[in-house]
Amino acid sequence: RALLLVISTVYILLPNPTHAEEAKTNCASPSNQIELNECVKERYENSSRLMQELYDSKLLSLTKESRQHLSFAQEGWIIFRERTCIYQAQGIDGGSGWQMMYLSCMARMTEKRVAELQEYKPAQQTDAQNKIPTALHFEPQDGFTAFIEDIKRG
């Protein structure tokens, strides 16, 4: 199932060869489903690029321990986003609007994640000053990495 998820996501994001040579779609007034799909795809790609740039810049400002926590959170969030959007689009599986529904969800959730990442304050403290209480602290070997890998495998 995870492989199918990856393959279908890659397929959706590949350019449509029948429209590759055409002029750029006017997203202010798309006139058909293909143009709607192209506009939503562009919106998702832009928000995804912005999220990645913001995430990368946040990582640079964090301590080693904080980077690890944000990295695990981001991995989990990406899986959550994709599964949520597949769920939301499942009602129109096989229909011409599936791609638009899926990518609209991906764009919307990614835009929200951008806002969340913008609110995160950079860690100015050292790891020793920024310790998480032991009861809330976990290391990757405590099972979280295995949990994420299980989710990825479906």
Side-chain angles (χ1 to χ4, degrees), residues 41-64:
K41 179 181 171 185
E42 182 180 324
R43 177 180 163 210
Y44 165 67
E45 289 172 344
N46 289 338
S47 62
S48 185
R49 192 172 19 263
L50 178 60
M51 179 185 69
Q52 189 62 49
E53 290 170 3
L54 186 57
Y55 171 76
D56 290 343
S57 72
K58 290 289 180 187
L59 284 180
L60 293 174
S61 69
L62 298 174
T63 63
K64 180 181 177 184

Side-chain angles (χ1 to χ4, degrees), residues 49-153:
R49 192 172 19 263
L50 178 60
M51 179 185 69
Q52 189 62 49
E53 290 170 3
L54 186 57
Y55 171 76
D56 290 343
S57 72
K58 290 289 180 187
L59 284 180
L60 293 174
S61 69
L62 298 174
T63 63
K64 180 181 177 184
E65 184 177 15
S66 294
R67 275 193 308 272
Q68 185 179 38
H69 290 294
L70 181 58
S71 177
F72 286 142
Q74 188 71 1
E75 286 179 27
W77 180 86
I78 288 169
I79 293 167
F80 170 75
R81 175 194 62 184
E82 290 179 11
R83 297 274 171 104
T84 298
C85 293
I86 288 170
Y87 171 76
Q88 288 186 5
Q90 75 180 353
I92 53 175
D93 275 347
S96 62
W98 187 89
Q99 181 181 17
M100 184 183 75
M101 180 70 77
Y102 174 76
L103 289 175
S104 291
C105 175
M106 294 286 283
R108 184 177 57 255
M109 290 187 73
T110 303
E111 289 162 355
K112 288 179 182 178
R113 183 64 176 164
V114 165
E116 290 171 359
L117 289 170
Q118 288 172 333
E119 291 178 8
Y120 289 171
K121 304 292 183 233
Q124 299 297 323
Q125 302 169 325
T126 65
D127 284 338
Q129 295 169 320
N130 198 23
K131 287 290 183 196
I132 295 172
T134 305
L136 300 176
H137 185 74
F138 65 90
E139 294 294 329
Q141 63 269 22
D142 287 339
F144 186 74
T145 301
F147 171 73
I148 293 295
E149 291 304 316
D150 285 347
I151 290 173
K152 287 178 182 176
R153 284 191 295 274

Side-chain angles (χ1 to χ4, degrees), residues 8-15 41 44-45 99 103:
S8 62
T9 301
V10 168
Y11 177 77
I12 287 169
L13 297 177
L14 288 175
K41 179 181 171 185
Y44 165 67
E45 289 172 344
Q99 181 181 17
L103 289 175

